[in-house]
């Protein structure tokens, strides 16, 4: 049977300055453990702690630029571009550009605070 999602749930985000997370599908909004889909809006200067998640994260940038730092390289993912970060890979996301970033994040399995493994 289909599940109709009327609206997303706002989730508290890690990093500073604060970004907004609207979860459409995932553990919080729909009780879905297999996948999470959320819209993120990060302001200019936003930086979150490095992490080594247990899930694959597929990110599509809608506006601005998302900086994605890995152990050995970094990418500036602009509007209209995407990146896939595999489970077990260290990553740090930020939006240093003047426009910040708006993007869709799809996590497989669904994001959870227990499986993201953020650095202190």
């Amino acid at each position: 049977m289909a599940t109709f999602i009327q609206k997303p749930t706002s989730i508290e985000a890690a990093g500073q300055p604060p970004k907004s997370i609207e979860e459409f599908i995932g553990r919080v909004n729909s009780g879905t453990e297999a996948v999470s889909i959320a819209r993120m809006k990060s302001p200019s200067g936003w930086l979150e702690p490095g992490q080594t998640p247990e899930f694959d994260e597929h990110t599509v940038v809608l506006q601005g630029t998302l900086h994605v730092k890995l152990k050995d390289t970094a990418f500036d993912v602009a509007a209209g571009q995407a990146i896939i970060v595999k489970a077990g890979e260290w990553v740090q996301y930020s939006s240093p550009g003047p426009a910040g970033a708006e993007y869709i994040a799809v996590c497989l399995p669904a994001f959870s605070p227990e499986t993201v493994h953020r650095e202190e």
Side-chain angles (χ1 to χ4, degrees):
M1 173 167 222
T3 301
F4 175 58
I5 309 295
Q6 291 190 356
K7 63 181 181 163
T9 297
S10 293
I11 308 243
E12 186 176 335
Q16 289 297 322
K19 76 172 179 178
S20 73
I21 299 176
E22 295 176 312
E23 181 184 277
F24 287 85
I25 298 167
R27 296 174 193 269
V28 174
N29 199 49
S30 63
T32 306
E33 295 185 9
V35 62
S36 59
I37 301 173
R39 178 173 50 207
M40 317 284 198
K41 293 180 183 176
S42 58
S44 176
W46 169 76
L47 172 70
E48 79 175 351
Q51 58 196 30
T52 308
E54 295 178 26
F55 47 80
D56 291 347
E57 188 161 0
H58 305 248
T59 303
V60 178
V61 177
L62 305 173
Q63 294 181 25
T65 301
L66 184 67
H67 184 74
V68 181
K69 182 178 176 184
L70 306 172
K71 275 195 173 183
D72 299 329
T73 191
F75 299 92
D76 286 320
V77 186
Q81 298 180 324
I83 190 166
I84 301 170
V85 177
K86 294 294 194 176
E89 188 167 15
W90 183 89
V91 62
Q92 183 179 42
Y93 296 99
S94 64
S95 54
E102 180 177 351
Y103 54 100
I104 300 292
V106 178
C107 299
L108 298 161
F111 174 92
S112 81
E114 296 77 30
T115 61
V116 72
H117 306 295
R118 285 198 182 100
E119 296 174 343
E120 295 297 320

